[in-house]
Amino acid sequence: MNPLEVAASLLLLANIALVARRSIWNYPFAIAAVTLYGVLFFQTKLYSDMLLQLFYVALNLYGWMNWSRSKADAGEVVVLTLDWPARLAWLAGCALLTGGWGWLMHRMTDAAMPWWDAGVAMTSVAAQILLARRYLENWVLWILVDIVAIPLFAVRGLWLTSGVYVILLGLSIWGLIDWYRAHSRRRAAA
């Protein structure tokens, strides 16, 4: 078993468990995990996912700042929701970016699974942006990412990471439920 994969997996699990609880302390775990996964994905020629990890570092720094501001203003990390036109726009954006990025990876690299990897990567970008901005819908996208990523990583021999994504699927469902309850409580109190 690859020690890099083990360390990245454990950090990622801690990160997502803390995110589901809306804890700002998820961010140091996230930054460490994505850094290790960047190296791992480079080694396994999953270039879209490798580049995604670089993006995650920047987005996690932004999210850390945004969540800190929300907690300072409201006493907690406030959960927001998108309206239906915005939801449809995010889904269309995911599809377009997946097609474009998959084509680039197919034409310009020796990527192992360019289209599949692009779908995971581009939907993850959208989910991470929505997460950093505290939108409930991030969890729906993470659930989709997890469902698609589990077999992708298994096919590439990343069995531990595939197993971690099974756990992440459960944590994402928990996060969706918990964030929905938090949003509903806040709405009821207003």
Side-chain angles (χ1 to χ4, degrees), residues 21-24 66-79 134 182 185-186:
R21 297 175 48 89
R22 292 179 297 135
S23 170
I24 288 176
N66 190 17
W67 281 37
S68 296
R69 195 173 325 127
S70 175
K71 188 165 182 156
D73 292 346
E76 67 177 347
V77 176
V78 176
V79 176
R134 305 182 326 268
R185 279 192 306 269
R186 188 157 180 84

Side-chain angles (χ1 to χ4, degrees), residues 23-113:
S23 170
I24 288 176
W25 290 105
N26 82 83
Y27 285 104
F29 288 92
I31 292 167
V34 300
T35 300
L36 295 179
Y37 266 120
V39 174
L40 181 67
F41 291 142
F42 175 75
Q43 292 173 348
T44 57
K45 294 187 177 185
L46 291 173
Y47 301 131
S48 293
D49 277 309
M50 179 207 58
L51 292 172
L52 179 62
Q53 306 314 302
L54 296 174
F55 179 75
Y56 280 163
V57 170
L59 202 50
N60 277 299
L61 291 170
Y62 164 75
W64 200 345
M65 181 184 68
N66 190 17
W67 281 37
S68 296
R69 195 173 325 127
S70 175
K71 188 165 182 156
D73 292 346
E76 67 177 347
V77 176
V78 176
V79 176
L80 306 172
T81 59
L82 297 171
D83 59 18
W84 275 103
R87 289 174 183 161
L88 294 174
W90 278 93
L91 287 175
C94 286
L96 289 171
L97 288 170
T98 294
W101 192 256
W103 181 84
L104 280 173
M105 290 291 113
H106 175 72
R107 300 290 292 162
M108 311 291 252
T109 74
D110 64 342
M113 307 275 197

Side-chain angles (χ1 to χ4, degrees), residues 6 15 22 30 33 42-43 67 86 93 115 149 153-154 159 164 171 178:
V6 171
N15 163 241
R22 292 179 297 135
F42 175 75
Q43 292 173 348
W67 281 37
W115 302 100
F153 295 135
W159 294 103
V164 165
L171 289 172
D178 189 62

Side-chain angles (χ1 to χ4, degrees), residues 121-184:
M122 294 300 104
T123 306
S124 294
V125 167
Q128 188 66 35
I129 291 169
L130 292 173
L131 172 66
R133 296 174 71 190
R134 305 182 326 268
Y135 283 104
L136 174 71
E137 289 81 4
N138 85 84
W139 292 111
V140 174
L141 293 182
W142 282 126
I143 290 166
L144 293 172
V145 165
D146 296 337
I147 289 169
V148 172
I150 291 165
L152 171 64
F153 295 135
V155 165
R156 296 304 299 158
L158 298 172
W159 294 103
L160 180 60
T161 300
S162 184
V164 165
Y165 271 74
V166 170
I167 296 168
L168 291 177
L169 176 58
L171 289 172
S172 295
I173 293 167
W174 171 38
L176 177 63
I177 292 166
D178 189 62
W179 280 40
Y180 179 79
R181 287 179 182 154
H183 178 69
S184 295

